[in-house]
Amino acid sequence: MLKLLGSLCILAAGGMAWMDRRRTFRQTLETLTELLAALEEMEGAIRLERLPMPRLLSRAALHRDGPVGMFFQTVVQTLRRGEDLAPAWRQAAGELSLSERDRSALAELGEKLTGDETRACQGIQLVSRTLTASLENLRKQQPEREKRGAALWFSGAALLIILLI
């Protein structure tokens, strides 16, 4: 009976670990999607509304939630403390749970946002292309990654159960 209970606990732990990895991967996809939408809105507001950057960032912070909302809130709070946009943007970008390549591309955008309208929009477009490529790549990998993850966690759990019994 004790072995059966232990086996069920091991199987449940494998399932929970698999679900956690799956949730983390989906959060990354959602973060990239939300970030791309926010950058697209920023570019439109820069071109059409000609909003000053602090107001634009405050608006983005109010209309976004989750990791992307926290990103913009961090930038806005840092700006309110009197710091410059580029370091605030770089620091906030480093806190996002994205790949190193995506974080560095996003961090570099902070330098371009301090320039004129054309430079800011070009920077946003460049980062958007990088993030879009990453998002498409992750979406292509998703089915295979989920299958491999399930196989790994459940076969590991099954091996432990066999060893336990």
Side-chain angles (χ1 to χ4, degrees), residues 52-138:
M53 195 55 67
R55 277 189 53 206
L56 181 64
L57 294 171
S58 294
R59 186 165 82 176
L62 288 174
H63 292 115
R64 302 283 172 201
D65 36 327
V68 175
M70 290 300 298
F71 168 76
F72 284 110
Q73 287 174 8
T74 302
V75 173
V76 168
Q77 289 171 355
T78 307
L79 289 176
R80 285 183 182 152
R81 287 194 306 258
E83 296 183 34
D84 291 334
L85 175 62
W89 187 275
R90 182 174 298 281
Q91 178 188 5
E95 295 171 7
L96 285 172
S97 61
L98 300 174
S99 70
E100 184 62 36
R101 177 178 163 227
D102 294 341
R103 274 196 315 261
S104 69
L106 185 62
E108 290 174 13
L109 177 60
E111 298 290 331
K112 294 179 175 97
L113 291 177
T114 58
D116 63 350
E117 171 188 330
T118 305
R119 183 175 176 209
C121 289
Q122 287 174 346
I124 290 173
Q125 289 172 354
L126 180 65
V127 170
S128 292
R129 281 194 296 267
T130 302
L131 296 179
T132 300
S134 293
L135 182 62
E136 289 173 2
N137 189 27
L138 287 174

Side-chain angles (χ1 to χ4, degrees), residues 18-68:
W18 173 66
M19 292 295 287
D20 184 57
R21 292 285 296 181
R22 197 171 160 207
R23 182 188 51 79
T24 303
F25 183 73
R26 288 187 178 184
Q27 271 184 329
T28 302
L29 290 177
E30 289 173 15
T31 300
L32 280 171
T33 303
E34 187 74 16
L35 194 55
L36 282 166
L39 290 174
E40 184 178 315
E41 285 178 19
M42 279 181 65
E43 183 183 3
I46 290 170
R47 287 185 193 273
L48 302 175
E49 299 175 35
R50 300 189 189 271
L51 286 175
M53 195 55 67
R55 277 189 53 206
L56 181 64
L57 294 171
S58 294
R59 186 165 82 176
L62 288 174
H63 292 115
R64 302 283 172 201
D65 36 327
V68 175

